[in-house]
Amino acid sequence: MQIRKHTGLTLLLAGIMAAGLSGCSSDRDPNTAEQESSAAETTTAAAAEPEETATSQSETTTETAASAETETTAASTAASPGSTNAPQPQITGADDDTRLLWSERGLEAVTIDSTDGYGEDLAVGSDYLNWTLNGYDGSPSGDAVPDMKASFTYNGQLQQNGQIRVLSGSDAHYPNGLYMHVDNIADFPYFPKDTRDRGWFVIQNADEVLEMLGLESPAEISGDLSVAVTVDSLYVHVSADDYDTLHVVSATRR
């Protein structure tokens, strides 16, 4: 009897242990393990996604900034000094310390209270040789006016033949500028006291004129190039070291 009791108890304990082992085995079920692995991978991918998105946004921001910097640099280069385009002078209105006279001899600049000079006052808005005076500004020195600037617009468009040459690259005002001598010098306002060679003008819109002539740079002009041009405005600067300038509407080779 005693042996049977121990045997029954042993069998009961063995059954309980087997059931416990069976329960532990179900926790390690392959399907359950696969689900846990898949969930872990999903969590990892979700955690990595914001970092990838942030990286993409950072790259986009960098590209945008680089593009903006390139455009700014290009715009700055286009407007930088050294261009063959001369500036378009703008002078309007009468000066308060000088006067501009005209006569059959040409133009003359005098001080505001001068009783000398030859000719009549040329008022702003008046015509001279079919050029309308937009404005003028002189710089008196004692009783003389050695420096005078004046701006004119032609009534229509003036056709001229002439020759174009290129100024030196070291020129103080217009390096590599287009310098034109017109054939009909009598068609342009003139200061007889001006000691410079008459009939020479720097072309204000040189880049456009080069394109009109089928050229890419002033370096392609060797010597004097014969041209026919149409002009519409003029800037006169009576000074020992500066130039008069013209704005050209059209240009062709002759």
Side-chain angles (χ1 to χ4, degrees):
M1 279 306 276
Q2 189 69 27
I3 294 174
R4 287 178 181 175
K5 287 181 180 180
H6 284 293
T7 301
L9 180 59
T10 299
L11 291 176
L12 178 60
L13 291 173
I16 293 172
M17 290 178 65
L21 290 174
S22 177
C24 292
S25 177
S26 66
D27 291 341
R28 300 299 179 187
D29 182 85
N31 292 333
T32 302
E34 182 178 351
Q35 291 174 359
E36 292 177 350
S37 175
S38 176
E41 290 177 358
T42 302
T43 302
T44 302
E49 184 176 352
E51 181 178 352
E52 294 177 357
T53 302
T55 301
S56 177
Q57 290 175 346
S58 176
E59 292 175 351
T60 301
T61 301
T62 302
E63 291 175 358
T64 302
S67 177
E69 182 178 357
T70 300
E71 292 177 358
T72 301
T73 302
S76 176
T77 301
S80 63
S83 170
T84 54
N85 269 339
Q88 173 73 48
Q90 297 291 334
I91 300 178
T92 59
D95 194 9
D96 58 1
D97 55 4
T98 61
R99 292 157 52 213
L100 192 59
L101 307 179
W102 73 275
S103 68
E104 71 280 1
R105 299 178 184 178
L107 299 176
E108 185 176 357
V110 297
T111 59
I112 192 69
D113 55 357
S114 175
T115 57
D116 297 328
Y118 181 80
E120 300 178 12
D121 285 281
L122 182 62
V124 172
S126 299
D127 289 348
Y128 175 70
L129 298 179
N130 211 34
W131 293 89
T132 299
L133 176 64
N134 300 321
Y136 64 92
D137 182 18
S139 299
S141 177
D143 295 332
V145 184
D147 190 298
M148 171 65 76
K149 303 173 184 177
S151 177
F152 294 87
T153 299
Y154 195 75
N155 295 323
Q157 293 182 349
L158 178 62
Q159 296 181 349
Q160 287 286 308
N161 293 329
Q163 294 77 40
I164 289 178
R165 66 180 57 171
V166 181
L167 292 172
S168 168
S170 61
D171 186 87
H173 298 280
Y174 304 106
N176 299 316
L178 299 187
Y179 198 34
M180 178 178 177
H181 185 268
V182 296
D183 289 352
N184 299 325
I185 58 178
D187 290 338
F188 296 84
Y190 170 65
F191 287 80
K193 292 184 178 180
D194 190 353
T195 59
R196 299 170 300 175
D197 291 338
R198 186 177 176 184
W200 283 96
F201 303 91
V202 167
I203 295 177
Q204 295 172 4
N205 54 325
D207 288 344
E208 294 176 351
V209 171
L210 286 172
E211 185 176 353
M212 295 173 191
L213 298 175
L215 302 173
E216 294 185 358
S217 74
E220 297 182 58
I221 300 177
S222 177
D224 290 350
L225 176 65
S226 295
V227 296
V229 301
T230 302
V231 301
D232 64 353
S233 62
L234 164 70
Y235 171 78
V236 177
H237 187 185
V238 182
S239 174
D241 65 346
D242 204 351
Y243 304 91
D244 297 342
T245 68
L246 280 177
H247 181 267
V248 175
V249 177
S250 64
T252 58
R253 302 192 200 193
R254 286 193 297 144

